[in-house]
Amino acid sequence: MIWLIGAKGMLASEINTLLTQNSIQWIGTDIEVDITDKNALEEFYEEAFQNKKCEWIINCAAYTAVDKAEDNSSMAQKLNADSLINIAELVKRVGAKLIHFSTDYVFAGNSTVPYIEADKTDPQSIYGKTKLEGELNIINNLHEHYIIRTAWLYGKAGPNFVSTMLRLMNEKDEIKVVNDQIGTPTYAVDLAKAVIKIITSDNKKYGIYHYSNEGTISWYDFACEIYKQGKELDLIKNDCRVLPCDSSQFHQKAKRPSFSLLNKEKIKQTFDLLIPDWKESLSCYLKELI
């Protein structure tokens, strides 16, 4: 039995679909169980599982409003960092294993080569700092964990860069997109498939892993491909020019990593994963919208 925390989110929605398709029993909770309250977690576990064995807890809950976190650091701290002590201690007590998701924002973003899991962390935002503290709270309290850092996540269940671009491209004659932030998108379905591979592999190589789709692009490159494929699929009916610009033209409270490319060799080799190219995954996502 699996407990999926944050079950209504973008990634969790894809995970719960695949759990059901693979006939894996799961229980999902969202804001009705307060992960910042240790007693609330314990009470739900005792009531929901009773004589059932909880083998995995998958935590998809997080404070992900990057700019708002700069002004609401206490809430980001509670959800992204402090709650992980509660979750890790519960996982340890019941003899389960944990999958938790982190972010490229734990790095400074000044590298010139893809980040590996052991690279020095140096978050530049409240969001990144609280996510890193959450990682450390897991590591310091629980051995049986998989922490998956990802980047540029998009999917059907929630607003994301792709859905925003589709809307703007249908509304405007011209949009500007930054071309000085480099990374790779992550299609939520692909990451969810990786999660299923982990929980069905019986592999006990715990630790931190990186996952995103394959490729190296800027947000501008991503937008151009969204426009190209969107026009071909008739999801974009308007003619819109996509223009490059640099980050200085957009005022954002939280500093974004200028380079957030993640090296995926560890997760590919450990779990024998084939990771799709970002264009291929974008095509799958857009076709789901037709």
Side-chain angles (χ1 to χ4, degrees), residues 55-59 84-100 134-147 206-208:
E55 296 177 343
W56 293 88
I57 292 181
I58 303 175
N59 180 43
L84 271 304
I85 297 175
N86 300 335
I87 292 172
E89 288 180 347
L90 176 63
V91 171
K92 187 174 184 178
R93 184 179 72 76
V94 304
K97 290 169 282 192
L98 174 67
I99 294 178
H100 173 72
E135 290 185 10
L136 296 174
N137 285 341
I138 292 170
I139 293 166
N140 292 332
N141 287 281
L142 178 70
H143 174 65
E144 295 80 7
H145 67 263
Y146 299 91
I147 296 170
Y206 303 118
I208 298 174

Side-chain angles (χ1 to χ4, degrees), residues 103 110 129-130 140-141 219 225 265 281:
T103 173
N110 54 10
K129 289 173 183 176
T130 57
N140 292 332
N141 287 281
W219 287 107
E225 186 65 22
E265 288 307 309
S281 293

Side-chain angles (χ1 to χ4, degrees), residues 60-74:
C60 295
Y63 189 99
T64 58
V66 176
D67 288 316
K68 289 182 179 179
E70 297 295 311
D71 295 323
N72 198 1
S73 59
S74 60

Side-chain angles (χ1 to χ4, degrees), residues 21-34:
Q21 289 176 358
N22 285 272
S23 301
I24 300 171
Q25 287 189 311
W26 63 279
I27 294 173
T29 60
D30 208 75
I31 59 174
E32 70 274 11
V33 177
D34 183 2

Side-chain angles (χ1 to χ4, degrees), residues 57-217:
I57 292 181
I58 303 175
N59 180 43
C60 295
Y63 189 99
T64 58
V66 176
D67 288 316
K68 289 182 179 179
E70 297 295 311
D71 295 323
N72 198 1
S73 59
S74 60
M75 184 56 70
Q77 175 71 27
K78 288 179 181 178
L79 285 171
N80 292 343
D82 299 346
S83 68
L84 271 304
I85 297 175
N86 300 335
I87 292 172
E89 288 180 347
L90 176 63
V91 171
K92 187 174 184 178
R93 184 179 72 76
V94 304
K97 290 169 282 192
L98 174 67
I99 294 178
H100 173 72
F101 300 93
S102 192
T103 173
D104 56 306
Y105 279 69
V106 300
F107 297 113
N110 54 10
S111 180
T112 56
V113 295
Y115 284 104
I116 64 171
E117 289 80 357
D119 278 337
K120 181 179 181 293
T121 52
D122 186 16
Q124 302 294 301
S125 65
I126 296 296
Y127 171 69
K129 289 173 183 176
T130 57
K131 290 295 287 183
L132 176 59
E133 190 173 338
E135 290 185 10
L136 296 174
N137 285 341
I138 292 170
I139 293 166
N140 292 332
N141 287 281
L142 178 70
H143 174 65
E144 295 80 7
H145 67 263
Y146 299 91
I147 296 170
I148 305 175
R149 292 175 181 150
T150 190
W152 300 19
L153 186 69
Y154 69 96
K156 296 188 293 294
N160 60 80
F161 182 79
V162 183
S163 62
T164 298
M165 287 297 102
L166 291 173
R167 176 177 58 79
L168 291 175
M169 288 168 180
N170 273 310
E171 292 175 354
K172 297 180 178 294
D173 297 327
E174 179 180 294
I175 61 171
K176 292 182 178 180
V177 184
V178 295
N179 67 346
D180 57 355
Q181 295 176 18
I182 304 300
T184 315
T186 306
Y187 182 29
V189 171
D190 295 332
L191 180 50
K193 289 177 180 177
V195 170
I196 299 300
K197 192 73 177 285
I198 291 171
I199 65 176
T200 57
S201 69
D202 196 32
N203 184 315
K204 294 181 174 59
K205 293 183 179 178
Y206 303 118
I208 298 174
Y209 290 88
H210 287 173
Y211 188 97
S212 68
N213 286 118
E214 298 283 21
T216 304
I217 60 170

